Amino acid sequence: MNNPPTAAELPAAGLSLSVIGTGYLGATHAVCMALLGHRVVGIDVDETKIRSLASGTLPFYEPGLDLLLRRMLDSGRLSFTTDFSAASGADIHFLCVGTPQMPDSPAADLRFLDAAFARLAPHVDRDCLVVGKSTVPVGTAERLTAFLQLSAPAGARAELAWNPEFLREGHAVEDTLHPDRLVFGVASGWARDRLAACYAPIIADGTPVVETDLATAELVKAAANSFLATKISYINAMAEICEATGADVNQLATALSYDNRIGGRFLKPGLGFGGGCLPKDIRAFTHRARELGVGQAVGFLQEVDAINQRRRQRTVDLITEMACGDLTGVHVTVLGAAFKPDSDDIRDAPALDVARMLHQAGAKVTVYDPQAMDNARLAYPDLAYAKSLQDAVTGAEVVALLTEWDIFRQADPAALGALVQLRNIVDGRHALDADAYRAAGWDYRALGAPNKLPAPVPAPTAVPAAAHGALMTH
């Protein structure tokens, strides 16, 4: 892009923006755009969510975002409403509506996105830009462009662009304000310049801008997530080979990471990926490719998905092996419920899926997570939940680390060992110091890692009543 606007060229009062959809993506985007100096109204049909955001309370957990939300509300630049007419007069409308997997198909469910466009269209009555940020099948932007220009009072004066998001839960603010790149899928120079003005401070900081057509912008997110999923499943496939040969998948991953053509990021063996993006995005991508007659081009993604799902059953198998082949009545503590640390998101969470399978196999399962307990209880009411790490591990016969929160990584193996009934641990994320656990008398197991005998169990030591601090490694 030639000569993008600088931060100094942004109007003092900023642009007027509407953000349709105030879930994880939309709320984060609205807050961060207000931080850049724009006047932002967030709009959603969910009255409970809007009341929460308008009062300064996030309806989900994201480090640092709650403080920024309250700051931007106090600044007067940010507001929230259920009234779509509040979008009238905005320079740019951002669509941040979820596109989950269909209940009975791998395809993306676009009903919520379509409904949002239908509600917004009557209020698009002037020259403006409507920008999709949702992850959608290629071809969606072309269809929605026709709908918008037919339905909106502005007609052809309303233009559609696509600006995919690349947020990582737990790092959403950083990823919005300091992204690796900005992708502008546009049909005109006017649309490009309008987006550049919106993101001027970010561009001025040196963030690369990739200008594409609409179809390419739609493909970027699906292609990126498919690549990341493939890399994760690749090292987990290697873990299966390591288990069959006695090799060590961690040493293998380290050796591979020094090859600069491969790199070490996402080359982390373990339980596999989950959440609301990677699983459903690779399935939707595969489904759309089949619709376009090029399904064979991404057929490998089915095996990527299958490898990922196998990790969950293999984790259950490993826990069952530690229980001498029978989980009936065995006290298993599952550490983690969110699909990743620094999040309370349990969508397609591997930890809870494993906990469910253990429960179905007859185990007495207790779950603890620093942030996702309320969500987990709602989704899996049959499981037991602990109030603290100490409560969770007390009396356990097998401990399974399935979400790599720092509180679990930093726990003292000796202090934990004084609380459990049996020192058996399965590290589903290769997040723990295996040598330290074995030295403390634990039978430590991990997917793709050789099984080694633990050290002799040291004499038990008394654990103070206020033992939460004692569980931490100093």
Side-chain angles (χ1 to χ4, degrees):
M1 186 175 62
N2 297 323
N3 301 318
T6 66
E9 294 172 321
L10 191 67
L15 299 170
S16 176
L17 311 179
S18 78
V19 175
I20 312 301
T22 58
Y24 183 85
L25 168 61
T28 302
H29 191 68
V31 170
C32 290
M33 291 302 100
L35 187 65
L36 293 182
H38 304 302
R39 302 179 307 280
V40 184
V41 57
I43 304 174
D44 203 298
V45 297
D46 188 329
E47 294 183 2
T48 301
K49 190 185 298 179
I50 289 297
R51 280 197 301 270
S52 177
L53 289 166
S55 68
T57 302
L58 281 177
F60 53 86
Y61 176 74
E62 175 60 35
L65 186 60
D66 52 347
L67 296 177
L68 287 180
L69 169 64
R70 291 189 284 273
R71 275 181 54 195
M72 292 305 100
L73 289 170
D74 291 343
S75 76
R77 293 195 299 272
L78 178 64
S79 62
F80 294 93
T81 182
T82 58
D83 184 2
F84 274 71
S85 68
S88 297
D91 300 303
I92 303 177
H93 306 279
F94 285 99
L95 273 292
C96 300
V97 181
T99 53
Q101 185 175 326
M102 291 280 285
D104 55 354
S105 164
D109 188 346
L110 301 181
R111 289 176 297 172
F112 307 108
L113 182 63
D114 289 346
F117 264 85
R119 285 175 176 266
L120 173 65
H123 308 291
V124 178
D125 54 6
R126 58 189 286 267
D127 292 359
C128 64
L129 187 63
V130 178
V131 182
K133 290 193 72 68
S134 305
T135 304
V136 295
V138 63
T140 303
E142 182 180 9
R143 175 177 64 81
L144 291 176
T145 294
F147 170 82
L148 181 68
Q149 296 186 346
L150 181 65
S151 305
R157 291 182 296 136
E159 189 168 329
L160 185 70
W162 219 264
N163 171 220
E165 57 85 15
F166 303 101
L167 303 189
R168 298 168 298 162
E169 293 194 29
H171 305 273
V173 174
E174 175 71 14
D175 288 348
T176 301
L177 298 176
H178 304 283
D180 295 329
R181 75 289 203 196
L182 290 166
V183 176
F184 294 169
V186 294
S188 71
W190 175 84
R192 174 201 64 205
D193 292 343
R194 184 58 59 97
L195 276 173
C198 179
Y199 289 111
I202 295 174
I203 296 171
D205 281 343
T207 299
V209 175
V210 181
E211 182 181 339
T212 77
D213 53 69
L214 290 168
T216 303
E218 290 172 307
L219 280 173
V220 168
K221 181 62 183 294
N225 277 354
S226 295
F227 189 92
L228 296 178
T230 300
K231 195 170 183 181
I232 295 168
S233 282
Y234 173 81
I235 196 61
N236 282 332
M238 294 303 100
E240 294 185 16
I241 302 297
C242 287
E243 289 172 11
T245 60
D248 189 323
V249 70
N250 282 309
Q251 294 176 6
L252 176 63
T254 298
L256 292 174
S257 71
Y258 284 104
D259 188 326
N260 58 19
R261 298 168 299 175
I262 298 173
R265 296 192 66 188
F266 286 86
L267 205 65
K268 182 71 174 176
L271 182 50
F273 55 82
C277 292
L278 261 64
K280 64 101 174 173
D281 286 353
I282 64 173
R283 294 164 193 161
F285 193 23
T286 303
H287 180 83
R288 182 57 176 152
R290 287 201 197 98
E291 289 182 333
L292 295 169
V294 289
Q296 71 278 8
V298 292
F300 68 93
L301 290 178
Q302 291 180 280
E303 184 56 27
V304 166
D305 195 9
I307 291 168
N308 190 60
Q309 292 299 313
R310 285 203 300 272
R311 306 313 286 163
R312 304 179 186 193
Q313 182 59 57
R314 178 61 189 130
T315 300
V316 173
D317 294 342
L318 196 53
I319 294 169
T320 305
E321 290 172 18
M322 298 196 85
C324 300
D326 186 3
L327 287 169
T328 304
V330 175
H331 291 264
V332 180
T333 293
V334 168
L335 299 181
F339 87 94
K340 63 177 292 186
D342 296 316
S343 173
D344 63 353
D345 192 345
I346 64 165
R347 290 176 294 175
D348 201 7
L352 284 175
D353 201 19
V354 169
R356 173 190 61 81
M357 289 189 283
L358 293 169
H359 175 74
Q360 290 177 341
K364 295 181 179 179
V365 181
T366 300
V367 177
Y368 175 67
D369 187 283
Q371 291 293 336
M373 298 292 276
D374 290 342
N375 292 337
R377 282 191 187 96
L378 288 173
Y380 297 87
D382 293 338
L383 301 176
Y385 296 90
K387 295 180 180 179
S388 67
L389 173 58
Q390 177 185 356
D391 290 343
V393 300
T394 298
E397 295 171 84
V398 183
V399 176
L401 172 64
L402 304 184
T403 308
E404 63 274 35
W405 286 90
D406 281 346
I407 189 176
F408 305 147
R409 297 167 67 105
Q410 296 168 4
D412 179 9
L416 286 179
L419 296 173
V420 299
Q421 183 175 344
L422 296 174
R423 299 188 185 195
N424 296 321
I425 191 161
V426 170
D427 183 359
R429 296 296 181 180
H430 289 266
L432 304 176
D433 184 336
D435 291 338
Y437 271 83
R438 290 188 177 114
W442 289 80
D443 185 357
Y444 171 96
R445 307 282 183 90
L447 298 172
N451 183 28
K452 297 179 182 178
L453 294 176
V457 178
T461 56
V463 177
H468 190 277
L471 294 178
M472 305 303 289
T473 301
H474 298 287

